[in-house]
């Protein structure tokens, strides 16, 4: 477990909200302590992506990282 200083939170990739994330995946993920508000805002944006793109449980989607 990573220590979390005040104002920070743990973020991981693949995203926590996916079947490949830290909770459900094979254990192959990266994590980093990041600014808590930015992490929360990114999570909200990701939820917006799910809604806008109509991604449902079990749907596959592709992530491009630039």
């Amino acid at each position: 477990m990573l220590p979390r200083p005040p104002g920070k939170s743990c973020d991981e990739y693949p995203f926590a909200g996916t079947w490949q994330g830290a909770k459900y995946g094979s254990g192959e993920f990266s994590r980093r302590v990041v600014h808590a508000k930015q992490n929360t805002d990114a999570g909200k944006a990701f939820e917006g992506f799910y809604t806008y793109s109509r991604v449902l449980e079990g749907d596959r989607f592709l992530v491009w990282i630039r």
Side-chain angles (χ1 to χ4, degrees):
M1 178 181 257
L2 295 176
R4 295 182 197 172
K8 302 289 185 174
S9 66
C10 186
D11 193 18
E12 73 269 3
Y13 185 86
F15 308 113
T18 67
W19 286 105
Q20 294 173 327
K23 185 174 182 179
Y24 301 108
S26 64
E28 296 182 25
F29 62 91
S30 64
R31 63 184 183 203
R32 186 172 186 178
V33 174
V34 297
H35 188 274
K37 178 155 180 6
Q38 290 175 346
N39 196 21
T40 299
D41 291 346
K44 289 176 183 176
F46 196 56
E47 287 298 321
F49 160 76
Y50 280 148
T51 302
Y52 178 80
S53 301
R54 298 181 180 172
V55 177
L56 302 175
E57 181 78 27
D59 284 354
R60 292 175 176 254
F61 61 92
L62 185 62
V63 176
W64 281 288
I65 299 176
R66 296 192 267 170

